mmCIF file of all heavy atoms in Angstrom:
data_model
loop_
_atom_site.group_PDB
_atom_site.id
_atom_site.type_symbol
_atom_site.label_atom_id
_atom_site.label_comp_id
_atom_site.label_asym_id
_atom_site.label_seq_id
_atom_site.Cartn_x
_atom_site.Cartn_y
_atom_site.Cartn_z
ATOM 1 N N LEU A 1371 -21.865 8.480 11.952
ATOM 2 C CA LEU A 1371 -20.972 8.875 13.056
ATOM 3 C C LEU A 1371 -20.439 7.646 13.723
ATOM 4 O O LEU A 1371 -21.142 6.957 14.474
ATOM 5 C CB LEU A 1371 -21.696 9.764 14.108
ATOM 6 C CG LEU A 1371 -20.871 10.284 15.224
ATOM 7 C CD1 LEU A 1371 -19.827 11.284 14.731
ATOM 8 C CD2 LEU A 1371 -21.743 10.998 16.311
ATOM 9 N N GLY A 1372 -19.196 7.339 13.412
ATOM 10 C CA GLY A 1372 -18.553 6.149 13.987
ATOM 11 C C GLY A 1372 -17.831 6.432 15.275
ATOM 12 O O GLY A 1372 -17.994 7.501 15.862
ATOM 13 N N GLY A 1373 -16.982 5.546 15.704
ATOM 14 C CA GLY A 1373 -16.232 5.758 16.934
ATOM 15 C C GLY A 1373 -15.173 6.867 16.806
ATOM 16 O O GLY A 1373 -14.970 7.648 17.748
ATOM 17 N N GLY A 1374 -14.578 6.961 15.620
ATOM 18 C CA GLY A 1374 -13.481 7.966 15.489
ATOM 19 C C GLY A 1374 -13.656 8.944 14.377
ATOM 20 O O GLY A 1374 -12.919 9.959 14.365
ATOM 21 N N THR A 1375 -14.593 8.736 13.467
ATOM 22 C CA THR A 1375 -14.766 9.701 12.346
ATOM 23 C C THR A 1375 -16.233 9.908 12.039
ATOM 24 O O THR A 1375 -17.118 9.139 12.490
ATOM 25 C CB THR A 1375 -14.103 9.170 11.057
ATOM 26 O OG1 THR A 1375 -14.763 7.912 10.694
ATOM 27 C CG2 THR A 1375 -12.611 8.936 11.238
ATOM 28 N N PHE A 1376 -16.536 11.015 11.342
ATOM 29 C CA PHE A 1376 -17.841 11.306 10.800
ATOM 30 C C PHE A 1376 -17.856 11.412 9.325
ATOM 31 O O PHE A 1376 -16.933 12.010 8.725
ATOM 32 C CB PHE A 1376 -18.413 12.611 11.424
ATOM 33 C CG PHE A 1376 -19.629 13.100 10.747
ATOM 34 C CD1 PHE A 1376 -20.818 12.453 10.968
ATOM 35 C CD2 PHE A 1376 -19.573 14.140 9.847
ATOM 36 C CE1 PHE A 1376 -21.969 12.865 10.261
ATOM 37 C CE2 PHE A 1376 -20.713 14.553 9.157
ATOM 38 C CZ PHE A 1376 -21.916 13.910 9.423
ATOM 39 N N ASP A 1377 -18.840 10.816 8.632
ATOM 40 C CA ASP A 1377 -18.989 10.934 7.211
ATOM 41 C C ASP A 1377 -20.454 11.122 6.846
ATOM 42 O O ASP A 1377 -21.327 10.501 7.486
ATOM 43 C CB ASP A 1377 -18.486 9.614 6.548
ATOM 44 C CG ASP A 1377 -16.960 9.415 6.759
ATOM 45 O OD1 ASP A 1377 -16.197 10.120 6.076
ATOM 46 O OD2 ASP A 1377 -16.631 8.580 7.603
ATOM 47 N N ALA A 1378 -20.690 11.927 5.833
ATOM 48 C CA ALA A 1378 -22.003 12.127 5.264
ATOM 49 C C ALA A 1378 -21.855 11.945 3.785
ATOM 50 O O ALA A 1378 -20.981 12.464 3.152
ATOM 51 C CB ALA A 1378 -22.588 13.474 5.617
ATOM 52 N N SER A 1379 -22.770 11.141 3.190
ATOM 53 C CA SER A 1379 -22.670 10.852 1.738
ATOM 54 C C SER A 1379 -24.042 10.898 1.095
ATOM 55 O O SER A 1379 -25.055 10.428 1.681
ATOM 56 C CB SER A 1379 -22.113 9.446 1.505
ATOM 57 O OG SER A 1379 -20.781 9.353 2.051
ATOM 58 N N VAL A 1380 -24.115 11.489 -0.092
ATOM 59 C CA VAL A 1380 -25.318 11.459 -0.880
ATOM 60 C C VAL A 1380 -25.175 10.231 -1.851
ATOM 61 O O VAL A 1380 -24.184 10.158 -2.594
ATOM 62 C CB VAL A 1380 -25.474 12.752 -1.715
ATOM 63 C CG1 VAL A 1380 -26.697 12.606 -2.720
ATOM 64 C CG2 VAL A 1380 -25.716 13.931 -0.803
ATOM 65 N N VAL A 1381 -26.125 9.315 -1.787
ATOM 66 C CA VAL A 1381 -26.030 8.118 -2.592
ATOM 67 C C VAL A 1381 -27.284 7.965 -3.436
ATOM 68 O O VAL A 1381 -28.408 8.041 -3.019
ATOM 69 C CB VAL A 1381 -25.920 6.907 -1.649
ATOM 70 C CG1 VAL A 1381 -25.708 5.623 -2.478
ATOM 71 C CG2 VAL A 1381 -24.779 7.046 -0.649
ATOM 72 N N ALA A 1382 -27.040 7.701 -4.746
ATOM 73 C CA ALA A 1382 -28.136 7.461 -5.650
ATOM 74 C C ALA A 1382 -28.338 5.949 -5.781
ATOM 75 O O ALA A 1382 -27.378 5.188 -5.888
ATOM 76 C CB ALA A 1382 -27.815 8.013 -7.047
ATOM 77 N N LEU A 1383 -29.630 5.524 -5.644
ATOM 78 C CA LEU A 1383 -29.980 4.127 -5.677
ATOM 79 C C LEU A 1383 -30.752 3.814 -6.914
ATOM 80 O O LEU A 1383 -31.720 4.518 -7.243
ATOM 81 C CB LEU A 1383 -30.828 3.757 -4.432
ATOM 82 C CG LEU A 1383 -30.338 4.191 -3.060
ATOM 83 C CD1 LEU A 1383 -31.332 3.796 -2.019
ATOM 84 C CD2 LEU A 1383 -28.961 3.568 -2.757
ATOM 85 N N THR A 1384 -30.365 2.761 -7.614
ATOM 86 C CA THR A 1384 -31.170 2.235 -8.693
ATOM 87 C C THR A 1384 -31.465 0.751 -8.385
ATOM 88 O O THR A 1384 -31.044 0.284 -7.324
ATOM 89 C CB THR A 1384 -30.502 2.349 -10.073
ATOM 90 O OG1 THR A 1384 -29.341 1.493 -10.072
ATOM 91 C CG2 THR A 1384 -30.066 3.783 -10.362
ATOM 92 N N GLU A 1385 -32.107 0.066 -9.214
ATOM 93 C CA GLU A 1385 -32.448 -1.324 -8.971
ATOM 94 C C GLU A 1385 -31.222 -2.166 -8.733
ATOM 95 O O GLU A 1385 -31.257 -3.122 -7.942
ATOM 96 C CB GLU A 1385 -33.311 -1.869 -10.093
ATOM 97 C CG GLU A 1385 -33.864 -3.261 -9.793
ATOM 98 C CD GLU A 1385 -34.852 -3.741 -10.838
ATOM 99 O OE1 GLU A 1385 -35.295 -2.879 -11.665
ATOM 100 O OE2 GLU A 1385 -35.228 -4.916 -10.835
ATOM 101 N N SER A 1386 -30.117 -1.865 -9.397
ATOM 102 C CA SER A 1386 -28.930 -2.723 -9.290
ATOM 103 C C SER A 1386 -27.672 -1.979 -8.965
ATOM 104 O O SER A 1386 -26.630 -2.613 -8.843
ATOM 105 C CB SER A 1386 -28.722 -3.487 -10.618
ATOM 106 O OG SER A 1386 -28.494 -2.606 -11.671
ATOM 107 N N GLU A 1387 -27.735 -0.695 -8.753
ATOM 108 C CA GLU A 1387 -26.514 0.098 -8.563
ATOM 109 C C GLU A 1387 -26.680 1.114 -7.439
ATOM 110 O O GLU A 1387 -27.726 1.738 -7.328
ATOM 111 C CB GLU A 1387 -26.139 0.818 -9.842
ATOM 112 C CG GLU A 1387 -24.793 1.519 -9.823
ATOM 113 C CD GLU A 1387 -24.397 2.071 -11.152
ATOM 114 O OE1 GLU A 1387 -23.952 1.286 -12.013
ATOM 115 O OE2 GLU A 1387 -24.562 3.276 -11.377
ATOM 116 N N ARG A 1388 -25.637 1.278 -6.623
ATOM 117 C CA ARG A 1388 -25.591 2.280 -5.604
ATOM 118 C C ARG A 1388 -24.378 3.185 -5.876
ATOM 119 O O ARG A 1388 -23.248 2.700 -5.886
ATOM 120 C CB ARG A 1388 -25.424 1.689 -4.221
ATOM 121 C CG ARG A 1388 -26.761 1.201 -3.572
ATOM 122 C CD ARG A 1388 -27.353 0.025 -4.252
ATOM 123 N NE ARG A 1388 -28.541 -0.432 -3.520
ATOM 124 C CZ ARG A 1388 -29.755 -0.529 -4.050
ATOM 125 N NH1 ARG A 1388 -29.988 -0.144 -5.306
ATOM 126 N NH2 ARG A 1388 -30.770 -1.005 -3.340
ATOM 127 N N SER A 1389 -24.610 4.480 -6.167
ATOM 128 C CA SER A 1389 -23.531 5.374 -6.560
ATOM 129 C C SER A 1389 -23.360 6.469 -5.547
ATOM 130 O O SER A 1389 -24.330 7.199 -5.250
ATOM 131 C CB SER A 1389 -23.821 5.986 -7.935
ATOM 132 O OG SER A 1389 -23.882 4.993 -8.928
ATOM 133 N N VAL A 1390 -22.160 6.590 -4.986
ATOM 134 C CA VAL A 1390 -21.847 7.695 -4.048
ATOM 135 C C VAL A 1390 -21.598 8.920 -4.886
ATOM 136 O O VAL A 1390 -20.637 9.009 -5.607
ATOM 137 C CB VAL A 1390 -20.620 7.332 -3.214
ATOM 138 C CG1 VAL A 1390 -20.332 8.527 -2.255
ATOM 139 C CG2 VAL A 1390 -20.867 6.055 -2.396
ATOM 140 N N LEU A 1391 -22.507 9.882 -4.825
ATOM 141 C CA LEU A 1391 -22.422 11.076 -5.616
ATOM 142 C C LEU A 1391 -21.475 12.131 -5.003
ATOM 143 O O LEU A 1391 -20.737 12.810 -5.711
ATOM 144 C CB LEU A 1391 -23.806 11.725 -5.789
ATOM 145 C CG LEU A 1391 -24.853 10.836 -6.395
ATOM 146 C CD1 LEU A 1391 -26.180 11.566 -6.511
ATOM 147 C CD2 LEU A 1391 -24.452 10.379 -7.799
ATOM 148 N N ALA A 1392 -21.469 12.191 -3.675
ATOM 149 C CA ALA A 1392 -20.608 13.196 -2.997
ATOM 150 C C ALA A 1392 -20.498 12.826 -1.524
ATOM 151 O O ALA A 1392 -21.447 12.203 -0.986
ATOM 152 C CB ALA A 1392 -21.127 14.590 -3.181
ATOM 153 N N SER A 1393 -19.403 13.251 -0.876
ATOM 154 C CA SER A 1393 -19.228 12.932 0.548
ATOM 155 C C SER A 1393 -18.575 14.143 1.235
ATOM 156 O O SER A 1393 -17.861 14.906 0.627
ATOM 157 C CB SER A 1393 -18.361 11.710 0.742
ATOM 158 O OG SER A 1393 -18.955 10.534 0.263
ATOM 159 N N GLU A 1394 -18.910 14.271 2.490
ATOM 160 C CA GLU A 1394 -18.213 15.220 3.373
ATOM 161 C C GLU A 1394 -17.780 14.426 4.651
ATOM 162 O O GLU A 1394 -18.462 13.477 5.049
ATOM 163 C CB GLU A 1394 -19.152 16.367 3.784
ATOM 164 C CG GLU A 1394 -19.445 17.377 2.714
ATOM 165 C CD GLU A 1394 -18.351 18.285 2.388
ATOM 166 O OE1 GLU A 1394 -17.344 18.328 3.159
ATOM 167 O OE2 GLU A 1394 -18.393 18.942 1.364
ATOM 168 N N GLY A 1395 -16.692 14.817 5.199
ATOM 169 C CA GLY A 1395 -16.231 14.050 6.387
ATOM 170 C C GLY A 1395 -15.486 14.922 7.332
ATOM 171 O O GLY A 1395 -14.966 15.972 6.985
ATOM 172 N N ILE A 1396 -15.445 14.499 8.625
ATOM 173 C CA ILE A 1396 -14.637 15.102 9.630
ATOM 174 C C ILE A 1396 -13.801 13.952 10.281
ATOM 175 O O ILE A 1396 -14.315 13.152 11.015
ATOM 176 C CB ILE A 1396 -15.479 15.764 10.712
ATOM 177 C CG1 ILE A 1396 -16.466 16.793 10.081
ATOM 178 C CG2 ILE A 1396 -14.605 16.473 11.765
ATOM 179 C CD1 ILE A 1396 -17.439 17.407 11.044
ATOM 180 N N ALA A 1397 -12.533 13.952 9.882
ATOM 181 C CA ALA A 1397 -11.666 12.857 10.302
ATOM 182 C C ALA A 1397 -11.360 12.778 11.765
ATOM 183 O O ALA A 1397 -10.912 11.777 12.255
ATOM 184 C CB ALA A 1397 -10.380 12.838 9.448
ATOM 185 N N THR A 1398 -11.533 13.911 12.442
ATOM 186 C CA THR A 1398 -11.148 13.977 13.858
ATOM 187 C C THR A 1398 -12.348 14.037 14.786
ATOM 188 O O THR A 1398 -12.222 14.348 15.947
ATOM 189 C CB THR A 1398 -10.312 15.256 14.086
ATOM 190 O OG1 THR A 1398 -11.023 16.407 13.665
ATOM 191 C CG2 THR A 1398 -8.981 15.158 13.271
#
């Protein structure tokens, strides 16, 4: 939750890689 927007993301972590699997956001 930033100053102007909200984002939620599911992220898969491996030893060398971070992959954003999916995101939801509220721009307002």
Side-chain angles (χ1 to χ4, degrees):
L1371 182 66
T1375 62
F1376 167 74
D1377 296 283
S1379 300
V1380 174
V1381 184
L1383 311 177
T1384 67
E1385 188 171 349
S1386 62
E1387 186 174 283
R1388 276 68 175 123
S1389 299
V1390 179
L1391 303 179
S1393 295
E1394 289 286 346
I1396 305 175
T1398 57

